[in-house]
Amino acid sequence: MTANLVNPTHIDAIIIGAGACGLMCAVQAGFLGKQTLVLEKNDRPGAKILVSGGGRCNYTNLNTSAQQFISGNPHFCKSAFAQWTVEDTIGFFETYGIEGQEKTLGQLFPTTNKAKDIVDVFVNLCHDLDQPIWLNTNVKAIERDVNGFVVTYEQHGKITQVAAPKVVIATGGLPVHKLGATDFGLRIARQFGLQVVKPTPALVPLTITGKDLPWYGQLSGNSIFCRVWNDDISFEENILFTHWGLSGPAILQISSYWQAGQEFYLDMLPHQDIVELISQERNINPKKTLLNVLAGLYTRKFAEALANYLPVTKNLASLSKADLEDINQLIHQFKVKPAGDKGYDKAEVMRGGVSTDELSSKTLEAKKEPGLFFGGESVDVTGWLGGYNFQWAWACGFVIAQNI
Ligand SMILES: Cc1cc2nc3c(=O)[nH]c(=O)nc-3n(C[C@H](O)[C@H](O)[C@H](O)COP(=O)(O)OP(=O)(O)OC[C@H]3O[C@@H](n4cnc5c(N)ncnc54)[C@H](O)[C@@H]3O)c2cc1C
């Protein structure tokens, strides 16, 4: 994999990071007859792609639009998505033998269920197109010089430099240190005087502490379908109870819209009215206990745990108006106040990053630093769970390749 350029002075651009954005950028530049050099600190390319989607790689989402992205400028991502569409992603991978299958909510995975197949496409294309990927190459610094940029890197303990007129920062975000995550992109942005929107973990499980924790902990392993909502947004997917708090897709989604100190709500029966359901049941079987009604809707364990809040041993006929109000409030508007999140090592993405104000949306070049490009997760554009973040990274790689 590690290759030396025959003529290192003939590089159009140095791409830092062999992740989703950097690999797509190298391949697309290769299609255009440009010469890139990819520098990657890990001993293999695409470490995050390999673990993504539980090793199956949810590589795009059929429903992609600007709506599924959080950014200081919600319109910023539109230009990249117009230049590289979901159909482009699908067509690109199909050309190299990867058919997609939709699992749920527009999420596309390779039919082989192997993330490695996705990485192999890039590795093979980089090889065929003569776009070297230098592995075990940790970039330490970037300086401007008269011809562009000088990049200083450490390889096998040796510090060396390489120069190019353009540099692409495709070093991703802060999540999951062991997969190669660094703050390099943010540091370089600040070094060149670019604003950075404060990064925070996103798509991340949330923790519960204090007197509420034993209640959540006893339900560890139980999953229920919910509508999870706050004043800004709502998601309908499963939530998962754990011994430290809450996880599952709906919780990861709302975590991107949650800040410390805030609360959100669970509607644990989003498509039915619990009071209506109880009154129907009461007409048929007034002696039935509330516990048995709830056990028909959830796991028995979950129904029993609701005894903490509701008079579950009462039979339906004896439920008072106040009881029904409590039941309605608890089932449809269960308040959750997380203590915190599980941090970058359990997050799928970083929220924040290089401010979109600093970049051209059409080229992803820094407005103040011609020749310096930022793409993928390093930019303040954060997608929902479900393949959106890869679609953003592929689109950035394509757009930057047109402009280096
Ligand atoms: C567990 C997990 C599962 C995920 N699953 C999905 C999914 O199924 N679908 C989806 O859309 N998104 C998923 N994501 C998010 C997705 O992986 C990222 O948003 C995407 O990889 C970002 O692409 P990128 O190219 O910007 O950065 P990355 O893919 O993170 O690549 C950045 C690369 O830069 C390298 N690097 C960093 N600093 C340096 C340096 N100084 N010198 C040299 N190299 C450096 C890193 O080693 C890394 O290889 C998942 C994330 C995680 C953590």
Side-chain angles (χ1 to χ4, degrees):
M1 173 63 52
T2 303
N4 286 308
L5 284 180
V6 181
N7 176 9
T9 55
H10 192 70
I11 305 169
D12 292 304
I14 295 167
I15 299 171
I16 306 173
C21 174
L23 290 169
M24 182 60 97
C25 188
V27 163
Q28 296 295 337
F31 289 152
L32 297 169
K34 299 177 185 180
Q35 179 67 68
T36 66
L37 168 64
V38 185
L39 306 181
E40 168 56 55
K41 76 191 264 284
N42 286 338
D43 60 3
R44 68 217 139 112
K48 240 180 223 179
I49 303 175
L50 289 171
V51 301
S52 67
R56 297 174 307 163
C57 187
N58 176 196
Y59 65 94
T60 191
N61 193 299
L62 300 173
N63 305 323
T64 302
S65 74
Q67 273 178 4
Q68 296 90 15
F69 291 83
I70 306 167
S71 171
N73 175 358
H75 303 291
F76 182 84
C77 61
K78 288 180 180 170
S79 174
F81 287 142
Q83 294 179 65
W84 181 265
T85 63
V86 171
E87 289 68 38
D88 290 326
T89 298
I90 295 169
F92 171 81
F93 287 114
E94 275 178 3
T95 305
Y96 300 103
I98 296 183
E99 297 293 325
Q101 60 175 329
E102 185 188 350
K103 295 257 169 183
T104 176
L105 302 171
Q107 301 170 5
L108 223 64
F109 292 76
T111 47
T112 57
N113 280 326
K114 282 195 210 137
K116 185 174 175 298
D117 293 348
I118 298 273
V119 176
D120 286 349
V121 166
F122 291 108
V123 170
N124 293 335
L125 279 170
C126 281
H127 177 266
D128 295 349
L129 295 162
D130 222 358
Q131 307 293 316
I133 305 171
W134 289 1
L135 299 175
N136 301 301
T137 305
N138 190 359
V139 177
K140 298 285 190 187
I142 301 174
E143 301 293 337
R144 224 196 217 290
D145 83 347
V146 280
N147 299 317
F149 298 90
V150 176
V151 172
T152 305
Y153 60 90
E154 185 181 350
Q155 207 179 42
H156 308 300
K158 220 175 108 198
I159 302 281
T160 319
Q161 291 187 323
V162 60
K166 290 172 178 172
V167 168
V168 179
I169 309 293
T171 47
L174 294 171
V176 196
H177 182 68
K178 67 173 192 271
L179 296 174
T182 68
D183 66 351
F184 186 78
L186 305 181
R187 271 193 282 132
I188 293 301
R190 291 190 186 109
Q191 176 194 325
F192 284 98
L194 311 185
Q195 291 298 315
V196 169
V197 176
K198 185 175 172 273
T200 52
L203 299 181
V204 64
L206 298 172
T207 57
I208 302 285
T209 54
K211 63 178 177 29
D212 291 338
L213 182 60
W215 188 80
Y216 285 82
Q218 68 177 322
L219 287 167
S220 182
N222 279 255
S223 177
I224 52 171
F225 181 78
C226 277
R227 186 170 76 87
V228 181
W229 53 280
N230 63 15
D231 288 344
D232 299 326
I233 195 108
S234 89
F235 294 97
E236 279 189 18
E237 279 183 83
N238 281 342
I239 69 162
L240 175 69
F241 290 87
T242 74
H243 58 274
W244 39 256
L246 287 170
S247 187
I251 295 299
L252 300 190
Q253 298 281 35
I254 200 89
S255 75
S256 299
Y257 292 84
W258 175 83
Q259 283 172 14
Q262 293 179 343
E263 42 203 38
F264 58 83
Y265 298 91
L266 308 179
D267 181 343
M268 301 190 285
L269 202 60
H271 298 293
Q272 291 176 72
D273 178 340
I274 187 70
V275 174
E276 177 65 28
L277 204 137
I278 288 171
S279 85
Q280 284 168 8
E281 276 292 321
R282 183 164 42 193
N283 290 340
I284 303 161
N285 187 355
K287 294 220 166 93
K288 192 170 185 176
T289 60
L290 176 60
L291 179 66
N292 281 337
V293 173
L294 296 171
L297 299 170
Y298 310 105
T299 61
R300 181 117 207 138
K301 174 112 189 142
F302 187 74
E304 282 168 1
L306 290 175
N308 201 43
Y309 304 103
L310 300 175
V312 295
T313 51
K314 278 193 177 177
N315 64 41
L316 300 183
S318 62
L319 290 173
S320 66
K321 200 164 168 246
D323 288 336
L324 288 173
E325 272 165 22
D326 287 348
I327 295 166
N328 192 43
Q329 172 90 3
L330 189 98
I331 296 296
H332 292 299
Q333 202 168 332
F334 184 93
K335 194 199 290 182
V336 181
K337 190 161 186 189
D341 63 55
K342 290 292 273 180
Y344 283 116
D345 276 337
K346 297 286 176 209
E348 284 207 6
V349 283
M350 168 184 92
R351 211 187 136 162
V354 179
S355 168
T356 51
D357 291 346
E358 304 285 6
L359 307 174
S360 153
S361 62
K362 291 195 177 60
T363 64
L364 299 174
E365 189 171 22
K367 291 177 189 164
K368 293 178 198 152
E369 274 309 321
L372 184 64
F373 293 79
F374 289 85
E377 211 178 305
S378 68
V379 179
D380 175 34
V381 173
T382 309
W384 288 1
L385 188 77
Y388 299 104
N389 287 293
F390 278 138
Q391 182 59 27
W392 169 243
W394 312 134
C396 289
F398 174 83
V399 166
I400 296 171
Q402 312 308 302
N403 295 286
I404 52 179

